[in-house]
Amino acid sequence: MREIAVFSGSAHPELAAEVCSHLGVPLSPARVDRFANDCLEVQLQANCRERDVFLIQPLVAPVQEHLVELLLMCDAARGASASRITVVMPHFSYARSDKKDAPRISIGARLVADLLVASGASRVLAMTLHSPQVHGFFSVPVDHLNALRELAEHFRGHDLSRATVVSPDLGNAKEAAAFARLLGVQVAAGAKQRFPDDRVQISSVIGEIAGRDVIVLDDEIAKGSTVLELLDRLREMDARTIRIACTHGLFAAGALQRLSAEPDVLEIVCTNTVPVPNGDRSEKLSVLSIAPALAEAVRRIHNGESVSALFESP
């Protein structure tokens, strides 16, 4: 795979190194500097000419810094005559800004998609977008992966005879149903309402909960307010045990500590699409690697093979 060149931004170099390890290619160096006027400068320090370039950068805090860094990396690769530039974005934080649900509000997901394409991206590889339709905002091909197989493999180590997968809201119910099919268990969903002050209310849970071993599945956990609200409903419905799973474990504002402090939460599972700071770790937290899936998707993109075949049932 000599024609491939993989670079990482500063958002999650550990994940990029792991992806390269699975690919069997070196992680090419990149330099990020800051001028005295606070502007960023990026230099890709390996040959890109006529190469298939992959830029690995999740949009995590500080999101705006990492976004501009990624845009500059795309521009640098384009200026270096890369044959194709694929943005590998394990977490696209702006995907939450996908609709005009208030007057005079920006649609950030579409704007950032346009910026990435304008900077030179010719393809995007994403993981579990908050809204699946966001990939339609891009005017270039998007390969949209999910981590359901990795999460399912983890939970198959538990007794699932009385398990129910619960989605916190109806918007994530389709994903929860697919996850439940992988595990061969029941599915349920909460009826969630979010208020203008960012307060969340879940009025009910549709499905069988009493005496069940519940696996709460969400695409991401940021402040954890939705999951904490759901836990109250699950207790009222006499759930037997509770475990929490998500793809993107952002755990902002002490969310991991608050969830871990809940005595009936036995386990919290996420993937390494975003870095989890060592200081925020918990004994209840399990972090699964999605590097093998990303590496296989990169290999298939490079070789012109089907990426969707990764998710076809055997």
Side-chain angles (χ1 to χ4, degrees), residues 216-236:
V216 176
L217 178 73
D218 209 350
D219 62 321
E220 69 177 58
I221 296 177
K223 293 188 295 185
S225 54
T226 295
V227 176
L228 289 168
E229 172 73 7
L230 178 61
L231 293 181
D232 290 337
R233 302 292 82 75
L234 295 175
R235 294 181 187 112
E236 293 169 1

Side-chain angles (χ1 to χ4, degrees), residues 1 24 80 87 115 125 138 150 162 165 179 195 198 249 277:
M1 301 179 70
V87 169
L115 288 171
L125 175 60
F138 290 88
E150 286 76 10
R162 297 173 64 87
V165 173
F179 186 55
F195 296 92
D198 211 30

Side-chain angles (χ1 to χ4, degrees), residues 122-252:
S122 45
R123 193 176 196 95
V124 173
L125 175 60
M127 172 76 72
T128 312
L129 294 170
H130 181 70
S131 300
Q133 66 270 20
V134 165
H135 76 260
F137 289 168
F138 290 88
S139 57
V140 295
V142 176
D143 292 299
H144 186 196
L145 308 184
N146 65 62
L148 296 185
R149 286 179 179 264
E150 286 76 10
L151 292 169
E153 187 63 29
H154 173 84
F155 283 102
R156 287 192 186 103
H158 299 287
D159 178 9
L160 299 176
S161 59
R162 297 173 64 87
T164 297
V165 173
V166 179
S167 169
D169 54 49
L170 298 177
N172 197 54
K174 185 176 181 180
E175 196 87 347
F179 186 55
R181 286 195 298 271
L182 285 175
L183 294 176
V185 302
Q186 297 182 18
V187 65
K192 184 178 84 171
Q193 184 177 6
R194 187 178 292 275
F195 296 92
D197 60 358
D198 211 30
R199 181 170 50 91
V200 172
Q201 180 182 37
I202 297 178
S203 57
S204 62
V205 177
I206 306 165
E208 185 181 351
I209 299 298
R212 307 290 295 180
D213 297 316
V214 168
I215 303 172
V216 176
L217 178 73
D218 209 350
D219 62 321
E220 69 177 58
I221 296 177
K223 293 188 295 185
S225 54
T226 295
V227 176
L228 289 168
E229 172 73 7
L230 178 61
L231 293 181
D232 290 337
R233 302 292 82 75
L234 295 175
R235 294 181 187 112
E236 293 169 1
M237 299 176 73
D238 296 321
R240 189 170 77 160
T241 64
I242 301 173
R243 289 179 167 84
I244 299 170
C246 68
T247 300
H248 310 299
L250 302 175
F251 302 128

